[in-house]
Amino acid sequence: LIKGERLDKLDYSIYWSDKKDIPRLQDLMIQLFSGLAAAHEVSFEDNSGMPREGIIHGNIKARKILFTTEGVPKLIDFLFTDLTRSPAIQLVWPEEIKQRARNENPEAYLAPELRKGKTGPNRKTDIFALGAVCFELLTKQDATMLPFGSYQELQNFVRQHNAIVPKSLIQVIWNATHPKSNLR
């Protein structure tokens, strides 16, 4: 119900073009990670009255981030993973949605342990996915490059594609997309 524009439809360069844009980019990343942290930390009762801890998104990618008309970023489509995996729910997908799913590369945002089938969606895989979105935002490069084997490899790559990105933002990406989930 929120009016706005999805991140995948925006020209990323409107968020950074020179060093004076870095504080705005930092603020954007803080808002995105803070929103995800709030979802992960929420406590609630589900429809059956069972207490639950945290909401896992499970499907974060650039098109799942919406900017309101005021420019506030919002993570959208929470619980998508839970809905599609529930045997009691039958979803009929419009052809437009099916085509979009075929055209995008969902693997680009999946943490290594999720790609390998070692775990299901969880807090660490959500963090990886949001880090992958931020990687794309900073470099304008596809997130399929992730994860890097070392911080230095990531820094060299980011600087090659966007020389104005400060080490602090590269460190955020490294922490979020670390190949070892226990270090995210």
Side-chain angles (χ1 to χ4, degrees):
L1 298 176
I2 298 172
K3 301 276 188 239
E5 192 71 41
R6 292 189 338 240
L7 179 59
D8 66 323
K9 298 290 185 187
L10 296 176
D11 177 4
Y12 292 169
S13 63
I14 67 171
Y15 290 99
W16 55 263
S17 56
D18 60 40
K19 287 188 179 191
K20 72 178 187 319
D21 294 326
I22 295 299
R24 184 174 43 166
L25 187 56
Q26 288 170 322
D27 185 54
L28 170 62
M29 289 172 64
I30 288 169
Q31 289 180 62
L32 290 171
F33 279 103
S34 295
L36 184 60
H40 286 170
E41 295 166 6
V42 71
S43 297
F44 63 99
E45 280 188 16
D46 66 16
N47 290 340
S48 67
M50 294 289 297
R52 294 194 54 183
E53 294 288 324
I55 299 173
I56 303 301
H57 191 289
N59 196 24
I60 296 173
K61 52 189 83 170
R63 71 180 185 87
K64 302 291 181 156
I65 297 170
L66 181 81
F67 286 86
T68 67
T69 52
E70 294 81 25
V72 178
K74 302 284 185 183
L75 287 169
I76 60 173
D77 290 346
F78 272 87
L79 299 175
F80 178 78
T81 301
D82 287 4
L83 287 174
T84 58
R85 293 186 181 179
S86 173
I89 297 174
Q90 296 294 322
L91 295 175
V92 178
W93 299 100
E95 187 54 39
E96 177 186 342
I97 300 294
K98 288 179 186 177
Q99 185 60 42
R100 189 180 320 145
R102 285 189 289 266
N103 291 339
E104 68 184 16
N105 184 3
E107 296 253 329
Y109 302 96
L110 296 181
E113 65 273 19
L114 199 54
R115 281 185 209 154
K116 294 173 185 171
K118 292 182 178 179
T119 186
N122 59 51
R123 292 174 186 205
K124 302 285 186 173
T125 62
D126 272 0
I127 291 168
F128 183 94
L130 189 52
V133 170
C134 291
F135 171 81
E136 287 184 342
L137 189 63
L138 293 175
T139 64
K140 296 185 183 181
Q141 300 300 306
D142 193 286
T144 54
M145 315 288 287
L146 295 168
F148 285 87
S150 72
Y151 171 80
Q152 191 61 48
E153 286 178 27
L154 174 63
Q155 181 177 338
N156 292 343
F157 185 88
V158 171
R159 290 280 168 82
Q160 180 182 19
H161 294 281
N162 186 347
I164 68 168
V165 177
K167 286 182 181 181
S168 61
L169 293 184
I170 298 171
Q171 187 67 52
V172 169
I173 302 304
W174 173 249
N175 292 346
T177 63
H178 198 286
K180 295 181 181 178
S181 64
N182 63 325
L183 297 177
R184 281 186 216 130

